[in-house]
Amino acid sequence: MEYIKNYTDGKFISPISGKYIENINPAIGEIYSYIPDADEQDVALAVAAAKAAFPAWAATSAQVRSAFLLKIASLIDTYSEKLALAESIDNGKPLELAKTMDIGRAAANFHFYGTAILHESSESHFTSPTAINYTLRKPIGVVGCISPWNLPLYLFTWKIAPALAAGNCVVAKPSEITPMTAYLLSEICIEAGLPKGVLNLVHGYGHKVGQAIAENPEIPAISFTGGTATGKKIALAGAPLFKKLSLELGGKNPNIIFSDCNFENAVATSVRSSFTNQGQICLCGSRIFIQKPIYEKFKNEFVRRVKLLKVGDPLQADSDLGATVSKQHKDKVLSYIELAKQEGGTVLTGGKDVKLQGRCENGYFIEPTVIEGLSPYCRTNQEEIFGSVVTLTPFESEEEVIRYANSTPYGLSATIWTENLNTAHHVAHALESGIVWINCWLLRDLRTPFGGVKNSGLGREGGFEALKFFTEEKNICIKL
Ligand code: NDP
């Protein structure tokens, strides 16, 4: 049984408490490794290592930092099979998905910021005729990166790569539920020769390690992705210390299907946007609004295709959905299906857990579930479920669907399906959402700003936005 270690000051070390947490493979429901049950003492060690490493790392040229990041990207590619297998086992997601989505993107994150830093430029303002201002962007120091379990290495590296590229040293915490690829990343950093203390990974529970990062006065900036309730705790801990915060939080994303859509593209992509990664992507469209003239047609075809999805062993190539990440999360998702029934919903397909035979007989599997007949304002349609459950709701007019779409406390992403350019623009502008996809879903360009409004977060990741977040501006004015 493998014991994962913290990665601090360039070395693997055991948690100071000597305690470990069981790490469960959700596809089989069994412990398969142990992770450090670290606490604020381990965070303090990591912060000390990061502080010591900071002056030298911040003084390196962009070319030197770029070379380290590109080396890490290339090693992620080299070990992609091993990383994908680890991600699938740790998270329960289909191995094919881990290969095609998670690990490729983790390498791309390092590659993107390894090259982006070479193109960063500073601003200058000529105050005619008396002065020149120039604005420096300096690394902040020790920054904290905290990430969730749904896209473990993908989201972890999306924070770490820009933080390092900008010249910061990092204390990072992956989700305690899916720590394995972060651990493998620390092996990769050692192989890449990353100077000691530049990146430090502390494993353990959110309320211990995460909270200690949030409260540590020597970490002036935190980039966090996770649930809205946790984001609030981090904001509460960080506010009295005036920490810089980037918060990527929950969502309840609308997927809006107009009658004039390209039907085939809309229905095929909606199956993907509902159930990829067992619906555990913050961008999944969990509320599908369908214009009345095509409601029955869309519903029938959508449900027919959802019934064809195979829930199975994540390691088998033909499994469309794997396991839900944990027993606790499976119970939460099932409880929302029960709530939907109590709220008057009709389950069109799915609705139950799945008992597989053989190796996965004790795994945490749920049928992809489609529900209709609910008010857009009921709890099922207002609260984030973050699982393989979607609802179908008919609508008549643009104004009506905009009202429904904007009715939740969230505002992360939205999808619109229409062939009418005016409808597309009008609705896209009216939606309270940080990201809008028109006739597509999860089509990403890493240069674009990524993030949500309302309870979906604060700030933006992606492109130069992340480099701005991880730097502090200093304006210097010279009188001529
Ligand atoms: P959580 O908020 O439970 O956890 C996220 C991370 O925060 C984990 O590493 C967790 O550790 C840690 N944490 C927990 N408590 C604290 C604390 N008090 N202080 C500091 N850190 C803490 O989210 P989940 O892992 O359950 O992820 C699912 C959520 O993430 C969903 O709401 C989803 O919408 C959101 N998400 C948002 C995205 C976006 O880009 N907006 C992208 C992906 C997911 P531990 O695991 O030990 O609890």
Side-chain angles (χ1 to χ4, degrees), residues 21 146-151 155 158-159 173-178 204-214 224-231 233-234 247-251 280-283 325 329 332 384 386 410 412 450-452 456-457 461:
I21 304 165
I146 304 175
S147 60
W149 48 256
N150 65 322
L151 301 169
L155 291 174
W158 186 228
K159 300 179 176 309
K173 184 196 115 53
S175 170
E176 134 266 336
I177 300 164
T178 53
Y205 289 117
H207 65 273
K208 289 188 185 176
V209 176
Q211 192 70 27
I213 291 173
F224 169 80
T225 298
T228 298
T230 314
K233 286 184 194 162
I234 291 173
L247 303 174
E248 297 294 335
L249 309 176
Q280 302 167 148
I281 299 180
C282 53
L283 306 165
V325 73
H329 193 58
K332 176 189 157 186
E384 185 183 42
F386 210 53
Y410 297 104
L412 185 56
F450 180 93
S456 290
E461 295 188 313

